[in-house]
Amino acid sequence: MTEAKTFNLTIDEQQLAWLSIDVQGEKMNTLQAAFADEMNEILAQLENKQSEINGLIIHSLKPDNFVAGADVRMLDACTTAEQATALASTGQQMFAQLSALPFSVVAAIHGPCLGGGLELALACDYRVCSDEDVTRLGLPEVQLGLLPGSGGTQRLPRLIGLLPSLDLILTGKQVRAKKAKKLGLVDASVAHSILLEVAKTYANKSKPKRKTAVKEKLIASVGLSRKVIFEQAAKKTRQKTRGNYPAADKILQVMQFGLEKGLTKGLEKEAYEFGHLVMTSESKALRSLFFATTEMKKEHFANATPLAVEQVGVLGGGLMGAGIAHVSLAKAKLAVNLRDISEDGVLNALSYNYTLLNKQRRRRILSKAQVQRKMAQLRGGTDYLGFNKADVVIEAVFEDLSLKQNMVQEIEQQCPDNTIFASNTSSLPIHQIAAGAQRPQNIVGLHYFSPAEKMPLVEVIPHETTCAETVATVVELARKQGKTPIVVKDSAGFYVNRILAPYMNEAAQVLMAEQHIEHIDNALLNFGFPVGPITLLDEVGVDIGAKIMPILVSELGERFQGPDLFDTLLNDGRKGRKVGKGFYQYKGKEKKVDKSVYRLLKLSPSRSLSEEDIALRCVIPLLNEAVRCLDEGIIASARDGDIGAIFGIGFPPFSGGPFRFMDTYGLAKLTDKMRQFEVTYGERFRPYQGLVDRVESGTNFYS
């Protein structure tokens, strides 16, 4: 029996060649090194039959994707930079042969066309795509610590210009069909039903004249403005990456080099730098994160079958409730009933959702009719009308145990016996919320992070008697809402807030050791966090911190006791950004340190500590607590702990997460540093015994 191939070539009666792509046994088409022989055979056939062919159309046999990129697994098989460079060079050579064919080559794109898939399309003479929402085009390699290695850095600026190319390649953003057409990335955006017919009309066109040489001369003639563009791009990149993402710098170097030296030399430089980036610790960590999240999407909790969810109820019309309603409505495409105790709360939640949907309308992602249909699926009120049809009710009321217990009782009265009650608590143990419930097996924690429509993580928290089907159902619901869920054990603070608390406490200790606020924040920004810890406290709310910390101290012990400054700040009306002042003063999007806070806390700040010491002082308590969480079974694995920390609190992605960071840093070196800090700053830095045991046994978290 003949083994099915990925690439198949046919020639129709009109002398049009059709090259179909279908990776066998895989949902998505990806480019793999093993396909090189197949592709070379196809190219040889095309070159031998030049006189018989009027044009070539490349298309996918998958129902919802073109080519989602290169298979990242083959990069992990590379042991040297030279091997990775050879992979990139092979791709470049194949695409160069495709580009050199004497007849028109058309990419007919439906669904994701990313990374190597877009580089394949860029080597074609024409690109046409379907206008459906599933279609996305982009070069996301930078998100894996890489640059496009098969011609993307060189062909894209020659097609759409330098500035838009820099924007796409440096961010890794994906664009929809309309935007792709506007940029000139595709020649036509059409209905999926006529995609191949339109592709045929382009394939029958004469091959366009190569404009590369002309464009290169034009680019060279504006060398001064090009130089300014790259200088400004480098400046903005440094401000954003703070030197932690080497791929961004290499992208700029390779693109500038190619525009100055020409396409051939640019491709050589691209392959060389790609190979060396593959071997960096940053890319290895980011690829590990990619593999981990991909793996998690395929997992089912305890092999239980999720129950069908068609309607969701939301309790609470605040920012969190409104955000949860939005992801249920817009992402999961479910009907939502929202209840609040006041009409104002209901109206605010409805308005919040309309504003988010209307923003998509203005960006032409949704039509006016689609916005209206979405809003028709969202009902708000002060009653429980419609809740009798809810499959899952998500509670997002104030962080008060008795209030949440009352919500459980009311939902058990108003809803069917199989309705799941999910509590969006940030710190209260779920078994306490479920105490006294008639159906405790239906109760589970579902902890979103603010703002719920943006933050990617959800913690799913079963208590001792939560049934497996309940957990499986909310895990699947969270995925449909566009979230990455991790299942964590029922304990105060769960995982994310439990590791965040000692980090925040230590930042407060450093502040009380008379270090400038911006010095502390900058130290952690340079370490790789998206925001500094003092800014984060303002963003979360000083009042929220004041509520959570005592719960953690009570449940988990004195190591969670931070410096006593919350009451002082709150008595001065400093709740954070939401009231315009905390440690910083806020005016619109602008913020500046409120220096009067130093007088309030009786501080005379300096910059006597190094940024490295400040960063490690804040991070080490977080690491210590993360290991405790692993050993106590709060998280199921180091992998879950890394994903939770990166997606939940912005632990530096290029580090791979706290557990991979510890492995890379070295556990022996880390415990030595902890002991030094213990002598200098106190016993809160004493290494947790589980960490010491691993050093003594020579084991790592990922060994």
Side-chain angles (χ1 to χ4, degrees), residues 645-681:
I646 290 170
F647 289 172
I649 59 174
F651 196 91
F654 66 86
S655 73
F659 292 98
R660 201 166 288 276
F661 171 82
M662 285 186 275
D663 277 357
T664 304
Y665 190 87
L667 300 191
K669 180 182 173 185
L670 180 64
T671 53
D672 284 347
K673 192 70 176 177
M674 288 176 167
R675 290 187 180 103
Q676 290 173 24
F677 279 4
E678 183 184 2
V679 171
T680 307
Y681 301 118

Side-chain angles (χ1 to χ4, degrees), residues 128-429:
V128 297
C129 72
S130 78
D131 59 7
E132 294 197 10
D133 192 56
V134 70
T135 298
R136 296 283 196 283
L137 294 88
L139 295 170
E141 287 85 352
V142 70
Q143 295 168 1
L144 295 177
L146 301 169
L147 53 72
S150 292
T153 65
Q154 305 304 304
R155 285 197 171 92
L156 189 65
R158 288 169 170 82
L159 178 69
I160 66 172
L162 179 55
L163 283 172
S165 297
L166 284 169
D167 182 43
L168 288 181
I169 298 175
L170 284 172
T171 64
K173 69 170 63 169
Q174 300 173 21
V175 296
R176 290 176 169 83
K178 287 180 182 177
K179 180 70 171 178
K181 176 67 171 67
K182 186 177 180 180
L183 288 172
L185 188 53
V186 297
D187 297 281
S189 167
V190 300
H192 184 213
S193 58
I194 60 169
L195 177 65
L196 296 183
E197 283 301 314
V198 173
K200 283 168 64 174
T201 65
Y202 278 91
N204 279 313
K205 290 175 180 268
S206 59
K207 194 173 182 72
K209 291 181 180 180
R210 297 292 173 195
K211 297 180 180 179
T212 300
V214 176
K215 285 194 175 183
E216 283 181 359
K217 286 179 183 177
L218 177 63
I219 289 165
S221 70
V222 291
L224 180 61
S225 62
R226 185 185 65 237
K227 182 182 177 184
V228 171
I229 289 170
F230 276 110
E231 285 176 351
Q232 289 300 312
K235 183 179 178 182
K236 287 182 180 179
T237 298
R238 281 193 298 272
Q239 287 173 348
K240 188 173 182 180
T241 68
R242 294 178 179 251
N244 290 316
Y245 293 86
D249 294 327
K250 293 301 180 184
I251 285 168
L252 291 169
Q253 290 175 24
V254 167
M255 291 180 71
Q256 188 167 13
F257 184 87
L259 293 178
E260 290 174 353
K261 303 295 184 181
L263 181 62
T264 302
K265 288 187 180 296
L267 289 171
E268 290 175 6
K269 175 80 168 168
E270 178 188 81
Y272 175 83
E273 297 296 358
F274 175 87
H276 284 76
L277 284 170
V278 167
M279 306 313 294
T280 61
S281 61
E282 292 86 355
S283 179
K284 289 176 181 177
L286 289 165
R287 296 198 312 265
S288 75
L289 183 63
F290 169 79
F291 291 132
T293 52
T294 302
E295 184 181 66
M296 287 183 78
K297 289 174 185 175
K298 300 174 183 177
E299 294 176 351
H300 293 287
F301 181 79
N303 293 317
T305 303
L307 303 174
V309 176
E310 294 180 1
Q311 291 201 27
V312 168
V314 176
L315 300 175
L319 287 178
M320 184 59 77
I324 293 169
H326 182 76
V327 295
S328 303
L329 182 74
K331 293 283 182 70
K333 298 178 170 56
L334 299 170
V336 178
N337 279 293
L338 183 141
R339 177 185 182 270
D340 194 90
I341 57 172
S342 74
E343 291 287 357
D344 284 346
V346 173
L347 290 172
N348 286 336
L350 293 175
S351 175
Y352 190 82
N353 272 268
Y354 178 76
T355 299
L356 291 174
L357 292 170
N358 200 45
K359 189 180 293 184
Q360 289 186 299
R361 183 194 64 78
R362 289 200 303 270
R363 292 171 58 197
R364 298 186 179 180
I365 296 168
L366 296 176
S367 67
K368 185 177 180 180
Q370 286 173 318
V371 170
Q372 290 172 340
R373 281 198 295 272
K374 289 286 183 190
M375 288 302 297
Q377 288 185 291
L378 174 61
R379 180 199 174 273
T382 56
D383 52 32
Y384 281 106
L385 186 64
F387 273 73
N388 61 334
K389 294 180 180 178
D391 301 296
V392 177
V393 173
I394 304 170
E395 165 270 304
V397 300
F398 294 116
E399 199 76 341
D400 179 273
L401 179 60
S402 61
L403 175 60
K404 291 178 186 288
Q405 289 173 335
N406 286 339
M407 293 294 98
V408 171
Q409 292 173 12
E410 290 188 20
I411 290 303
E412 287 186 328
Q413 292 170 7
Q414 298 289 337
C415 298
D417 289 354
N418 62 345
T419 297
I420 292 170
F421 182 95
S423 175
N424 175 56
T425 177
S426 58
S427 59
L428 295 171

